[in-house]
Amino acid sequence: MHIGLNSTVNKAVVVVRAAITVEKGLGLPTIKVRRGLRLPSWWQDCYISVYDTDLPWMISAILQRAFMGNPASGERKPWKSL
């Protein structure tokens, strides 16, 4: 089950990052989240909503891994997207 769960999370991280990249390419307004990462402001709003409303932990885990780094897929450094 652990392997299947990691596989699902890894796929979701890839999808979230791809959506972020596409939206940035459309010229949507972005904000600096941390050094090396700018996100469309809509994504930060989504993350805050997930965090503040106590939605299922899996959603929060996916967004954290998408924005910060995904050690389950072997990433050793935070994701960069300027």
Side-chain angles (χ1 to χ4, degrees):
M1 178 163 159
H2 186 263
I3 292 171
L5 182 59
N6 273 336
S7 176
T8 300
V9 170
N10 290 342
K11 288 176 186 174
V13 167
V14 169
V15 170
V16 167
R17 289 178 177 175
I20 289 168
T21 301
V22 166
E23 289 175 8
K24 286 171 64 176
L26 296 175
L28 295 177
T30 62
I31 57 170
K32 182 177 180 179
V33 176
R34 61 170 166 75
R35 184 177 176 190
L37 181 62
R38 292 190 69 82
L39 295 176
S41 55
W42 181 83
W43 280 96
Q44 182 173 5
D45 295 341
C46 288
Y47 180 77
I48 290 170
S49 293
V50 167
Y51 187 79
D52 287 346
T53 58
D54 292 326
L55 286 174
W57 66 269
M58 180 62 79
I59 296 170
S60 179
I62 290 167
L63 291 179
Q64 285 179 355
R65 288 180 183 190
F67 297 164
M68 296 302 297
N70 189 8
S73 70
E75 292 180 1
R76 298 185 185 270
K77 295 185 177 185
W79 181 55
K80 289 188 178 185
S81 178
L82 299 173

